[in-house]
Amino acid sequence: MEGLNMGIIERLPLLLPLLARQKVIVTTLDALRTETQRLESIYQQKLSALDALKKSLLHQAFSGEL
């Protein structure tokens, strides 16, 4: 923006939540990150199992075992 400089920016109020609220937010985000990582791990395991099943079924189909 034209005319915007650090002097103007430094005078702008910066509103932050109270420290206690910030700690609650951090705790919540940490829990969400942990749960997301857990779900990602489960998802990857399921994808691997599905890939193995697909390979097994294809092998059985092409070897006449089905």
Side-chain angles (χ1 to χ4, degrees):
M1 262 176 72
E2 191 174 324
L4 187 62
N5 59 46
M6 281 305 292
I8 294 170
I9 293 173
E10 288 173 343
R11 289 193 304 265
L12 293 173
L14 180 60
L15 303 175
L16 297 173
L18 296 175
L19 185 58
R21 180 68 181 141
Q22 290 179 40
K23 288 180 180 182
V24 169
I25 292 169
V26 168
T27 301
T28 302
L29 291 174
D30 284 343
L32 286 170
R33 181 182 55 228
T34 300
E35 180 66 6
T36 300
Q37 290 171 342
R38 185 185 74 80
L39 290 171
E40 180 184 17
S41 175
I42 291 169
Y43 179 73
Q44 290 299 330
Q45 290 171 3
K46 290 184 180 283
L47 281 177
S48 294
L50 185 59
D51 189 48
L53 177 61
K54 177 183 168 185
K55 287 178 182 178
S56 174
L57 287 173
L58 285 171
H59 174 73
Q60 290 175 19
F62 285 112
S63 64
E65 297 174 18
L66 281 181

